[in-house]
Structures are given as C-alpha cells and as structure tokens.
Amino acid sequence: SQQGEEDPQALSIQEGENATMNCSYKTSINNLQWYRQNSGRGLVHLILIRSNEREKHSGRLRVTLDTSKKSSSLLITASRAADTASYFCAPGNTGGFKTIFGAGTRLFVKA
Amino acid sequence: DTGVSQDPRHKITKRGQNVTFRCDPISEHNRLYWYRQTLGQGPEFLTYFQNEAQLEKSRLLSDRFSAERPKGSFSTLEIQRTEQGDSAMYLCASSLEGVAGELFFGEGSRLTVL
C-alpha cells in the first residue's frame, strides 16, 4: 500500500462556501478512499472510488479521480460548521492489506 | 451499537509503567488494525491481524510494543516501560476480508505519559 499526500495542509472557509481538497499518489491503484476525522475522534469512511471511475457523488460530497495524473479531489459543497474536521485520502491496491494515511487536510468552516 | 469499541478511552500513566489497550472489532470482521496518531499528524500504521494471525508489524515499532488477538476476536496492545514519546492516540480499526478496504474505526484510546 502507499501513502497519499493531501493538499492543502489547512483550509479555512466560510459556511456555505465549497471546500476542495486534493490527494496525490505515486503508483497505480485499484481504488482510493476518503476519510474524515473530527477532533479527538476516530476516522469515519466517507467514500470509495474505484480506478475505473472518474467521479462519484455522495450527498454534498463529490470525488473525482484522475489516474493519468495520479490524483483525486474531494469537493464538499455548501459547507457547514459541522464539516470542520481533518480529511485523509487512502490510495489502495491489490494485495495492500494495510491502509496508510498521510497528514491530511485540516478544514475549518467558520459559522 | 455494534461498532468498534476501545477501552480505556483515556489513560494517564507515569514513565516506566506498562499499559494495555483493548479493542473489540465489529463481530464479523476478520481483519483488525492498530494505528498511532500524534497531534496534527495522520494515523501511523502499527500492526494488523487477519483472524488471530499477526500478519504485519511496522518496522518502526519498538519491541516495547506487543499486540495480540488470541481468539481472532478482541485484540490487546501492550506498551511496556512507557516513555513520554509514547503519548498519542491509539486507534483500532476493523474490516472484512474481500471487501474493498473500508476500515471501521473505534474512538481511540488516548495515552498520556507523565
């Protein structure tokens, strides 16, 4: 398994704005997952996108995957104060039983 | 609630003491993972089990750390002779073999070594 690198490290926006976070990785993948972590809590799985998918939606979340650029983005639309959290991407490939996390993007949504 | 549970949630100990954390995974999950997380960082992989077999252990992990999953159900993580640098959140996660990678995390056990 490999580690994804999230960008930016930190993001501060107003409630109602959209938030975009990016993830880059180095080698080919079968899927890529995004997780959210509220302060002092465990991680929560948000969405998984497979390597043959280019875009996936879940509620206010939109994930894109560009395997040619080895990158993914997570868009949160109409953000809320409750979206304040750290967000991590996790690239996955066959045989990679362990999931490795980068430092994440810390999102702060101001009410 | 049938999620992943961890105990204790908080532990304060003095340097040199031993501590043990317990994780109860989701009952049908045969894979169990331990991670360590310090402030501002992502979770760092420590070790994982498939059923009762410990299949991988991080090379960065000191030999003061040991994990077990004796009957393929709950797991324990023991830290011997704790050091201040061991202060962190210890996260447990479980998953189902054959399902594409989704991990279910517990709320973590926060360790403070004085």
Side-chain angles (χ1 to χ4, degrees):
Chain A
S1 297
Q2 60 179 304
Q3 176 177 315
E5 291 188 15
E6 297 90 351
D7 176 72
Q9 289 185 333
L11 181 60
S12 181
I13 60 174
Q14 292 290 138
E15 203 167 33
E17 294 180 339
N18 296 342
T20 299
M21 289 157 264
N22 302 298
C23 170
S24 61
Y25 56 92
K26 294 183 178 175
T27 62
S28 62
I29 60 171
N30 288 336
N31 62 66
L32 186 141
Q33 302 175 68
W34 285 91
Y35 288 81
R36 180 189 75 227
Q37 185 180 33
N38 292 91
S39 180
R41 309 292 295 274
L43 280 73
V44 174
H45 183 266
L46 293 177
I47 196 166
L48 179 150
I49 185 166
R50 302 185 190 282
S51 59
N52 61 354
E53 298 175 308
R54 291 295 168 259
E55 187 170 312
K56 199 164 183 179
H57 297 254
S58 177
R60 294 184 296 112
L61 305 181
R62 175 185 156 221
V63 169
T64 62
L65 180 63
D66 187 335
T67 53
S68 66
K69 294 181 179 178
K70 294 186 172 57
S71 67
S72 174
S73 67
L74 171 67
L75 169 68
I76 303 174
T77 59
S79 63
R80 305 166 181 168
D83 295 326
T84 294
S86 293
Y87 292 82
F88 300 92
C89 71
N93 45 26
T94 302
F97 298 117
K98 66 185 181 191
T99 300
I100 300 176
F101 296 93
T105 292
R106 300 177 75 179
L107 173 65
F108 182 63
V109 181
K110 293 177 281 187
Chain B
D1 181 41
T2 57
V4 178
S5 63
Q6 294 188 243
D7 183 71
R9 292 292 311 280
H10 303 274
K11 178 72 176 178
I12 300 174
T13 191
K14 293 182 179 178
R15 190 172 49 189
Q17 298 294 304
N18 298 344
V19 296
T20 300
F21 300 114
R22 175 179 170 126
C23 172
D24 287 88
I26 294 172
S27 58
E28 61 267 29
H29 286 184
N30 59 343
R31 288 187 180 159
L32 186 147
Y33 306 78
W34 284 100
Y35 289 85
R36 175 174 61 192
Q37 186 177 29
T38 54
L39 198 62
Q41 300 299 312
E44 174 193 3
F45 171 81
L46 295 180
T47 188
Y48 97 94
F49 293 83
Q50 181 157 311
N51 301 312
E52 66 275 10
Q54 186 174 19
L55 296 188
E56 188 168 348
K57 183 176 176 179
S58 170
R59 284 172 288 179
L60 301 176
L61 202 58
S62 160
D63 57 8
R64 296 183 296 106
F65 288 70
S66 62
E68 293 183 341
R69 194 183 183 196
K71 297 181 180 179
S73 56
F74 74 92
S75 175
T76 58
L77 176 69
E78 181 183 17
I79 309 173
Q80 296 182 327
R81 305 181 302 281
T82 53
E83 302 172 356
Q84 288 187 325
D86 297 330
S87 294
M89 175 78 87
Y90 291 85
L91 293 164
C92 175
S94 68
S95 71
L96 191 60
E97 182 182 4
V99 178
E102 180 180 350
L103 298 181
F104 293 79
F105 280 83
E107 296 288 26
S109 293
R110 180 168 295 284
L111 173 65
T112 301
V113 181
L114 301 176

